[in-house]
Amino acid sequence: MSLNRKDFEIIRLVSNEKINLKELALNFKTTDRNIRYSIDNINHYLKKFSAGNSIEVINGVINFDTNEELVKKFCGEENKKNYIFSKEEREEYILICLFFRDTISLKAIEEYLQVSITTLRKDLKDIEKILEKYQLYLENSFGKIFVKGNEKKLRHLKMIYALKYIYLNEEELKYIFPDIKTLRMDKDTTSKKGALDEILNKFKDKEVDVLI
């Protein structure tokens, strides 16, 4: 048993809020039974860490009377070792490390994600498929991995991942990524008939890198 992103999201949603079980199942696109299983799993760790009351389901309504401090403590570093990363989360973490750290070792990734070297190698194979689309590849040197290949496309891919987590205006974007091609998509630029389609087609045809 372990905790995943869905478990922590359930804790956040039901803390001091009465929520219908069926509504929560619909929110996660799963079944009532699956939500009940998640709640049982969460309660196991709540009890283990003495983190207050258990989550209860009474007449189809979820109740969790707790306080914000206990929730923060439970969801923080104290429970980090019980968290299990999904395949998508592992690949995202590895890519971010590759793009924005000077060096990263296989051992460090393995220990942080708490996976076997076999699982890690499978993840790296899938990451290589992503990189191949940008004429990039992974290089392993003395247990440390690097992204190599087309420098311009590497900068482009770094920009894509950076923009997933930060907001930059056009001036800031061009300062950090001088080669980037931007195009505004707002009320002014899309007011004319056909303007929106024209902008989207330019983005689709890779005439621009980012829509602002």
Side-chain angles (χ1 to χ4, degrees):
M1 291 172 67
S2 56
L3 295 164
N4 56 34
R5 179 180 288 181
K6 184 179 76 174
D7 294 332
F8 285 108
E9 185 66 12
I10 288 173
I11 293 169
R12 186 186 68 80
L13 290 171
V14 304
S15 295
N16 301 310
E17 293 283 345
K18 291 186 177 181
I19 295 181
N20 184 278
L21 177 65
K22 290 188 179 298
E23 288 180 3
L24 195 63
L26 188 64
N27 182 66
F28 286 100
K29 298 179 181 179
T30 188
T31 62
D32 294 8
R33 178 179 290 183
N34 186 272
I35 294 295
R36 286 182 183 275
Y37 172 80
S38 293
I39 289 172
D40 287 342
N41 188 39
I42 293 166
N43 283 336
H44 167 78
Y45 286 101
L46 285 170
K47 183 178 180 180
K48 183 177 179 181
F49 288 94
S50 302
N53 298 327
S54 297
I55 300 174
E56 298 179 326
V57 181
I58 303 172
N59 297 325
V61 177
I62 301 170
N63 297 276
F64 184 36
D65 294 323
T66 185
N67 64 65
E68 188 177 344
E69 198 60 38
L70 281 173
V71 171
K72 283 183 178 180
K73 182 179 178 183
F74 180 76
C75 295
E77 285 294 316
E78 190 171 7
N79 238 335
K80 183 179 175 182
K81 60 180 178 292
N82 298 306
Y83 184 84
I84 182 168
F85 291 90
S86 68
K87 185 177 186 299
E88 293 75 19
E89 289 171 332
R90 294 196 307 268
E91 291 180 4
E92 187 83 353
Y93 172 77
I94 294 168
L95 282 167
I96 289 170
C97 288
L98 287 168
F99 292 150
F100 304 110
R101 287 190 182 180
D102 292 334
T103 60
I104 185 70
S105 68
L106 290 172
K107 186 67 177 175
I109 296 173
E110 182 184 347
E111 289 178 352
Y112 182 84
L113 296 177
Q114 302 178 68
V115 294
S116 67
I117 191 64
T118 302
T119 298
L120 180 55
R121 292 190 189 283
K122 288 179 181 178
D123 289 342
L124 290 173
K125 282 186 178 180
D126 289 332
I127 286 172
E128 284 182 321
K129 292 177 183 177
I130 296 171
L131 296 175
E132 282 174 8
K133 298 175 183 178
Y134 295 86
Q135 298 174 15
L136 300 167
Y137 61 92
L138 290 179
E139 183 177 283
N140 187 336
S141 177
F142 301 102
K144 294 183 178 180
I145 51 175
F146 307 87
V147 179
K148 298 288 185 178
N150 188 305
E151 283 296 324
K152 186 175 181 180
K153 293 198 174 182
L154 176 56
R155 289 197 301 271
H156 177 78
L157 197 53
K158 283 183 177 181
M159 176 214 44
I160 291 173
Y161 274 80
L163 290 176
K164 291 172 72 173
Y165 299 97
I166 59 174
Y167 173 78
L168 298 173
N169 61 35
E170 187 171 6
E171 184 179 339
E172 291 168 330
L173 268 174
K174 288 187 177 294
Y175 178 78
I176 298 173
F177 306 104
D179 298 329
I180 196 171
K181 292 175 286 185
T182 63
L183 188 62
R184 286 176 57 213
M185 186 175 72
D186 53 27
K187 185 177 180 180
D188 293 332
T189 59
T190 59
S191 58
K192 293 182 180 179
K193 185 178 180 181
L196 178 59
D197 289 335
E198 184 180 347
I199 290 171
L200 292 175
N201 285 332
K202 283 184 178 180
F203 183 69
K204 182 181 177 183
D205 295 337
K206 298 182 179 180
E207 293 180 33
V208 294
D209 299 312
V210 176
L211 297 177
I212 298 175

